Amino acid sequence: MTAIYRAGIVGAGQIGRAHALGYQGVDSVEIVAVTEPNDRVRSEFQEQYQIPTGYTDIKEMMDQEDLDFVSICTWHLLHEPQTLLAASYLPKAIICEKPMTVGTASADRMIAECEEKHVKLVIGHQRRFYHSWTRARDLILEGVIGVPQMVTTKSGEGLLNCGTHVIDACRYLVGDPETDWVMGALERKTDRYEREVRIEDCCMALIQFEGGSQALVQSDLTPERWSVEEYQVRGTEGVLETDARSVRYLNGQTASWIELDLPTEDP
């Protein structure tokens, strides 16, 4: 199939490589450009993914290329300015990596600009495409545990880092409801940074979703200092547990846990 969409990637690091592999898996998309200030990294990226043109900054690329898709794969303090700039050139979609940005005002500006320009804005929470999470969501929406009441999970490495995935997963598993309110607590006693952004030492949040379900998220409060990606969803008629590879559930009609082993695939 001849490519009908032109894609450009901003940032030739590890995440940029993941986006390049994703685009290469779609026949209708051609990666036509990449922007990266490091000459060596940019050249190696172009050679590895057979990208014809490289630029040193995003404005130069947007000026020269007529792009349908723009992937923003830089660190999070650059996400807002680069999204606003890309949106002004009216691509069909911008795929911005997580975390979306570092504050709600910044996020609101990104959303407003893309809505005004009729540009689709997608945030890179790719883990919701794990086979296990998708199957768990389907089972919950089918009612195998009744009405979901509470999702609990633990995370590590900072709320802006792995925590963004677990919060997205909590919403995804119960059908992506809107949020009514959030209560949280955090502690910062050390000079902790994550990619040059100040972050908390530990925190927790209780999230109330529309419809009545809640999520309890712990970040860096347990011995595991990494996102273990384990979730428990309690409902009115049962309980479901899932991780990156498996799903199991128990309800009033099952004699024991029903366990599902699912294929693993890097989303």
Side-chain angles (χ1 to χ4, degrees):
M1 179 178 179
T2 303
I4 56 175
Y5 298 114
R6 294 166 54 84
I9 297 174
V10 183
Q14 177 184 0
I15 298 301
R17 295 174 186 275
H19 282 235
L21 286 171
Y23 283 131
Q24 287 185 337
V26 182
D27 291 338
S28 59
V29 178
E30 179 185 5
I31 312 171
V32 297
V34 61
T35 175
E36 165 61 50
N38 185 300
D39 293 340
R40 178 187 60 80
V41 172
R42 185 178 64 253
S43 296
E44 290 176 355
F45 193 90
Q46 286 182 249
E47 181 178 359
Q48 181 173 356
Y49 298 104
Q50 300 179 5
I51 301 172
T53 312
Y55 299 94
T56 57
D57 66 45
I58 182 174
K59 187 177 187 306
E60 183 183 11
M61 180 177 73
M62 299 305 297
D63 282 339
Q64 298 298 320
E65 304 287 345
D66 182 18
L67 298 177
D68 297 298
F69 303 146
V70 181
S71 276
I72 296 178
C73 305
T74 52
W75 68 315
H76 30 294
L77 290 182
L78 295 175
H79 289 178
E80 182 193 351
Q82 290 178 340
T83 296
L84 298 182
L85 175 65
S88 70
Y89 289 82
L90 307 181
K92 288 181 172 61
I94 295 170
I95 305 174
C96 179
E97 261 305 319
K98 48 66 61 179
M100 179 178 180
T101 184
V102 294
T104 54
S106 177
D108 287 343
R109 288 191 292 268
M110 294 167 67
I111 293 168
E113 181 69 10
C114 289
E115 286 183 344
E116 180 182 337
K117 297 293 195 298
H118 302 288
V119 175
K120 187 74 171 180
L121 176 60
V122 179
I123 306 303
H125 288 125
Q126 84 287 352
R127 295 185 190 180
R128 57 170 50 207
F129 294 102
Y130 282 143
H131 293 294
S132 54
W133 290 13
T134 300
R135 185 65 182 128
R137 172 189 167 101
D138 290 344
L139 288 167
I140 292 168
L141 295 181
E142 289 166 10
V144 296
I145 60 169
V147 179
Q149 302 289 294
M150 173 68 76
V151 186
T152 57
T153 186
K154 299 179 291 185
S155 183
E157 300 298 313
L159 196 63
L160 275 177
N161 187 18
C162 293
T164 59
H165 283 300
V166 300
I167 291 172
D168 183 66
C170 291
R171 292 187 62 245
Y172 177 69
L173 289 170
V174 294
D176 281 320
E178 295 295 325
T179 300
D180 281 337
W181 51 259
V182 178
M183 295 180 66
L186 65 87
E187 179 179 88
R188 179 180 164 90
K189 292 184 176 179
T190 68
D191 194 27
R192 190 181 183 203
Y193 283 75
E194 199 275 314
R195 281 173 288 187
E196 301 184 31
V197 176
R198 296 176 73 242
I199 65 168
E200 73 290 339
D201 290 326
C202 58
C203 64
M204 65 183 300
L206 178 63
I207 305 167
Q208 175 74 45
F209 297 121
E210 283 187 1
S213 60
Q214 295 183 330
L216 179 63
V217 177
Q218 299 181 64
S219 180
D220 293 304
L221 278 168
T222 57
E224 304 94 339
R225 302 293 288 182
W226 184 249
S227 174
V228 292
E229 298 183 11
E230 294 176 347
Y231 302 86
Q232 183 185 83
V233 187
R234 287 189 288 108
T236 55
E237 298 178 22
V239 60
L240 178 146
E241 295 179 347
T242 185
D243 57 24
R245 297 174 177 81
S246 64
V247 180
R248 68 175 190 164
Y249 66 91
L250 180 70
N251 61 30
Q253 284 70 52
T254 62
S256 60
W257 286 98
I258 303 298
E259 301 197 15
L260 306 175
D261 288 324
L262 297 163
T264 58
E265 184 177 2
D266 184 348

